[in-house]
Amino acid sequence: MIQIHTYDSYEDLSKHAAQLVSDQIRMKPDSVLGLATGSSPVGLYKELIRMHQEEDLDFANVTSFNLDEYLGLNPEHAQSYRTFMNQNLFDHINIEIVRTHVPSGIAEDIAAMALSYEQAIHNAGGIDLQILGIGSDGHIAFNEPGSALDSRTRVVDLEEQTIRDNARFFESIDDVPRQAITMGVGTILEAREIILVANGEGKSAAVSDAVQGDVSTQCTASALQNHSKITFILDKAAAARLNI
């Protein structure tokens, strides 16, 4: 059953999402967090930074696992998700960098790296709280339409819509990688708690399909309907098509 919280603004939803993350860390200082990239969680991360700086939110014993990374981008690339996480969160809090995990897009053996990533999550005790965004076609992480709902960490081909959506982060659409390595839907669903943040009218159709549509591989976020502790944190524009 998906719980839905709606807010008047992106700032308000970001503060609420950050409060849930803060509550988790204060309850369990060695929490394992699953982290997302993209524009949706940026406000959440800004609020966590503020909480660390002004309210002594302590990340010293936190471990994190990111959802995905572009294939072929090294960690220092300006558009890599490792760079994104460093700039938007890790560089501004007291998390130990060795406790932060982002899939490698340049590993010599990507399949072996994917297996080791799954094992690392298992060895850490599993993810306590997973943060998600949602793609305009309803994908979570890079689990594009057609992805199996029991899928694991693997390499995926990116759909044209995803490439177009992400082109704003690159100099041109031709620079957007065509493949990525991503946690699978099955991996994500093993998190003990999940929060999904979405804002803007452009996400409203995907949110509606995820919450009110049939559970289907064509909208991988719909698999969240089967999770026992999942909260969608939305602004009113993203929630506009919901029957609530």
Side-chain angles (χ1 to χ4, degrees):
M1 179 68 177
I2 295 174
Q3 293 188 42
I4 300 167
H5 297 167
T6 61
Y7 296 88
D8 290 332
S9 69
Y10 175 68
E11 181 181 12
D12 287 343
L13 76 85
S14 297
K15 286 181 177 179
H16 179 74
Q19 188 61 56
L20 294 181
V21 178
S22 173
D23 290 347
Q24 171 65 42
I25 294 170
R26 294 188 191 280
M27 177 181 68
K28 185 185 177 193
D30 61 346
S31 288
V32 179
L33 303 179
L35 302 179
T37 52
S39 57
S40 296
V42 169
L44 184 166
Y45 295 150
K46 285 182 179 178
E47 181 65 8
L48 289 177
I49 292 166
R50 187 198 66 77
M51 288 177 165
H52 168 67
Q53 295 174 345
E54 299 179 10
E55 299 176 8
D56 298 320
L57 182 60
D58 186 8
F59 292 83
N61 294 309
V62 169
T63 299
S64 71
F65 289 90
N66 263 78
L67 288 167
D68 40 30
E69 179 61 281
Y70 288 114
L71 204 65
L73 295 193
N74 78 44
E76 288 74 36
H77 190 283
Q79 299 305 329
S80 77
Y81 286 159
R82 166 56 74 178
T83 293
F84 176 98
M85 291 306 306
N86 288 347
Q87 292 178 344
N88 287 283
L89 184 62
F90 298 152
D91 288 350
H92 310 285
I93 59 176
N94 65 328
I95 195 168
E96 293 186 31
I97 204 67
V98 295
R99 290 180 174 270
T100 67
H101 302 85
V102 180
S104 172
I106 57 169
E108 289 187 14
D109 188 336
I110 292 291
M113 195 282 299
L115 288 173
S116 69
Y117 203 71
E118 291 273 340
Q119 187 63 47
I121 294 171
H122 175 77
N123 292 346
I127 292 171
D128 293 304
L129 177 61
Q130 175 69 58
I131 298 164
L132 296 176
I134 187 170
S136 59
D137 60 3
H139 71 252
I140 49 175
F142 273 131
N143 293 286
E144 300 281 34
S147 296
L149 302 186
D150 60 354
S151 53
R152 313 303 299 188
T153 302
R154 69 207 186 284
V155 171
V156 294
D157 295 325
L158 302 183
E159 297 286 338
E160 283 303 315
Q161 183 170 339
T162 300
I163 293 168
R164 289 194 301 271
D165 288 347
N166 289 359
R168 68 188 187 278
F169 300 115
F170 292 81
E171 289 188 8
S172 81
I173 195 169
D174 295 333
D175 295 329
V176 184
R178 266 48 184 176
Q179 290 183 305
I181 181 163
T182 184
M183 281 190 204
V185 180
T187 313
I188 292 167
L189 291 176
E190 288 176 356
R192 295 177 184 90
E193 181 176 359
I194 299 173
I195 58 175
L196 185 148
V197 294
N199 64 291
E201 185 180 359
K203 297 296 178 72
S204 62
V207 167
S208 176
D209 288 343
V211 175
Q212 298 172 162
D214 294 334
V215 175
S216 166
T217 60
Q218 292 308 301
C219 174
T220 53
S222 66
L224 299 172
Q225 295 178 30
N226 295 325
H227 196 275
S228 61
K229 196 171 185 183
I230 166 73
T231 305
F232 276 46
I233 302 175
L234 313 169
D235 70 0
K236 288 185 176 179
R241 302 192 189 197
L242 295 178
N243 298 321
I244 54 175

